[in-house]
């Protein structure tokens, strides 16, 4: 046995994963008081990224709608605006998008105009983000368009049911339906799965489901800043509160939305908080986050847990970025860099 | 050409590395106002790490001694205390330490009692941290002891000259003297170099020097939370100010110490701020930091620059940790996990 393996095992035995259930807040330990501060816009990112970083806190970041119907109205209004940017993006990236139905589940087939020979037998399944309630329909396709256009892969984007059409585990059920269909037509080793935020969590939840169901795992996955722990555990929920201008606070809109989706289900269930799941046997995983991300901790915790579980896992952390900033606009250099990394990771691991 | 390569090149062309000289603060962009906050001690780390995280801000974090002589007095007093913990640590880890001189440079030869067969032809060179002024003599050996004891490698720890004995580039000169001696007795591919903080920067500076001198590069390097940018550029200098209880502030003791070492030299010289150096051709590199680290940004920026330069680079970010917390005590599970990762990385890359 190589020493690397030995130490991996020792590390795993000693690790937070094993000890986690024993951990508890020691109330004798003093919290840290941090004074108010002013954060200048960083100078070491692109001018385009500087503009995102300088944007004010997201509007309605503390709105806490309480029903699936409320969220659907909010989601539809936001989607009607956000889809206006998609035609130009598809044109810039030379990607076409076609709605379809796979085994009863709504999807979009996202196809780049040019697919290089080594990608012709590859397929990616995409699950969009939006706190399990936002980005219905075409609005959920933007990351799939970035991936198809910048990575030159064919992508199936799952338009999973959201509240009030379905609650937990509806999103996961729909994603699994598409996954099961995909492994019938594509060799699992040629298949990748990707998503960001709630989509990043869904990617991990899909692997837990696939393992439990005895299904083959895909060749590689990309989990971007996953909502891996919706119990508000994770240090950056505190350190990056009011620093991240997208999620802003652990007590903000995304927490409220997730609770509506969970519909009373235990938030610590690994199918809602996958950081608590058993990650042994997961496929190679690339994780992406930013230094200002409210979910920085919940990304690096998944990275550590994967490594403790013997999984090949790569972590990319981008300077100054808030939650999922790396996927907002194809014209930002850091977006092209992030999807370049994800493409390289899929190229390294798919087909083997 | 594989698409991965193509996209790597495109990413590099678009990247911050290329555009960096063009970046500048856009003063029309609004800074973010962050209110005062209270950070609880995270519950998702080991109890031992919780104690480190809960510790008050480092004593004298804002002391700014001005001369090499002042710093030497401070360093000697601190070293006299810190070495008291070393005998027990050496015993726990089954490591012996012997002072020696290599081509005029003081070193410590750090040897584990048991070296596995596959490590017998391997050698690590260690450069300690301490803002270029702290941890003289035996006090600089603690990371080398951790590496030797947890990784079962023979390590040469460089006791480089520090102010007032020598100023920039004295530390780097001494490290290079030992490196040159090491590649005479050990095949470069069997050689690793490691260090943390100022040591993490010195590791990178050594690679810049080795490239410039046409020397062979080592098989792999470990650069822990490197002081890669001493010009106070890096977003976490702001976001983690008063959050990190070790370095605390960009205007604290470490900045003052570095300026004494620099002795008037341009702080943006890549031999003081290696993030500005050309990293093409660097060996595989593992980087380690924590979410509360004041140098989080300066670690992830090096990671991104290495990746943009086509270098195999791994990033490990530990939950809740301040600057270099992963290397304080061998009895902390996260320490064993971090050095397990570094060991696995050296095992993967040395000897090839």
């Amino acid at each position: 046995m190589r020493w690397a393996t030995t130490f991996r095992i020792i590390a795993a035995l000693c690790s937070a994963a094993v000890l986690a259930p024993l951990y508890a807040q020691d109330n004798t330990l003093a919290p840290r008081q941090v004074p108010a501060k002013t954060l200048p816009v960083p100078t070491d990112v692109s001018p385009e990224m500087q503009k995102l970083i300088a944007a004010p806190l997201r509007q309605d970041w503390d709105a806490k709608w309480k029903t699936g119907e409320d969220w659907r109205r909010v989601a539809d209004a936001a989607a009607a605006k956000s889809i206006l940017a998609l035609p130009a993006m598809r044109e810039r990236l030379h990607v076409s998008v076609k709605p379809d139905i796979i085994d009863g589940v709504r999807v979009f087939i996202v196809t780049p105009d040019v697919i290089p020979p080594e990608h012709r037998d590859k397929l990616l399944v995409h699950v969009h983000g939006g706190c399990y309630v936002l980005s219905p329909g075409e609005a959920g396709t933007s990351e799939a368009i970035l991936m198809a256009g910048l990575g030159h892969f064919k992508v199936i984007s799952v338009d999973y049911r959201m509240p009030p059409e379905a609650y937990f585990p509806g999103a996961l059920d729909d994603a699994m339906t598409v996954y099961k269909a995909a492994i019938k037509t594509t060799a699992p080793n040629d298949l990748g799965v990707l998503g960001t935020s709630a989509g990043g969590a869904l990617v991990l939840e899909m692997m837990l489901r696939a393992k439990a169901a005895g299904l083959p795992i895909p060749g590689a996955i990309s989990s971007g800043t996953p909502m891996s722990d919706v119990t508000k555990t994770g240090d950056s929920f505190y350190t990056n509160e009011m620093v991240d201008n997208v999620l802003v606070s652990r007590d903000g809109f995304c927490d409220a939305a997730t609770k509506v989706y969970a519909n009373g289900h235990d938030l610590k269930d690994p199918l809602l908080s996958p950081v608590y799941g058993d990650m042994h046997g997961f496929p190679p995983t690339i994780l992406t986050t930013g230094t200002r991300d409210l979910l920085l901790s919940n990304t690096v915790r998944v990275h550590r847990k994967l490594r403790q579980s013997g999984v090949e896992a790569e972590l990319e952390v981008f300077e100054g970025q808030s939650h999922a900033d790396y996927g907002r606009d194809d014209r930002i250099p850091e977006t092209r860099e992030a999807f370049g990394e994800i493409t390289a990771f899929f190229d390294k691991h798919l087909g083997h």
Side-chain angles (χ1 to χ4, degrees), chain A residues 275-321:
Chain A
V275 77
Y276 299 108
D278 175 1
M279 297 184 183
H280 289 91
F282 268 36
T285 305
I286 183 168
L287 298 145
T288 309
T289 180
T291 60
R292 290 194 183 191
D293 190 346
L294 195 75
L295 303 192
L296 171 64
S297 287
N298 286 345
T299 306
V300 308
R301 288 167 72 206
V302 169
H303 183 240
R304 295 255 43 85
K305 184 146 187 187
L306 287 166
R307 298 285 302 153
Q308 290 160 6
S309 308
V311 176
E312 189 161 344
E314 256 185 36
L315 175 66
E316 313 292 337
V317 183
F318 281 86
E319 168 74 337
Q321 294 190 16

Side-chain angles (χ1 to χ4, degrees), chain A residues 16 26 35 49 54 65 69 79 127 162 183-184 224 280 285 350 352:
Chain A
D26 177 345
M49 185 53 70
W65 293 282
E69 289 75 12
V127 275
M162 296 194 292
I183 54 176
K184 281 186 193 152
H280 289 91
T285 305
L350 296 189
H352 303 298

Side-chain angles (χ1 to χ4, degrees), chain A residues 84-144:
Chain A
L84 298 177
L86 295 182
M89 185 163 88
R90 291 195 296 262
E91 199 173 330
R92 282 194 302 272
L93 293 174
H94 306 284
V95 166
S96 62
V97 174
K98 201 170 63 77
D100 203 348
I101 305 274
I102 294 181
D103 294 341
V105 173
R106 293 184 300 266
V107 299
F108 291 89
I109 310 296
V110 183
T111 314
D113 291 354
V114 177
I115 301 182
E118 65 271 29
H119 285 185
R120 286 187 194 150
D121 51 359
K122 308 294 190 299
L123 176 66
L124 304 182
V125 171
H126 170 248
V127 275
H128 68 79
C131 313
Y132 296 103
V133 301
L134 299 173
S135 294
E138 200 188 325
T141 61
S142 64
E143 187 181 31

Side-chain angles (χ1 to χ4, degrees), chain A residues 58-72:
Chain A
R58 179 195 174 103
Q59 212 182 357
D60 290 335
W61 66 263
D62 55 353
K64 298 176 187 180
W65 293 282
K66 289 209 167 73
T67 69
E69 289 75 12
D70 289 342
W71 277 108
R72 185 68 204 204

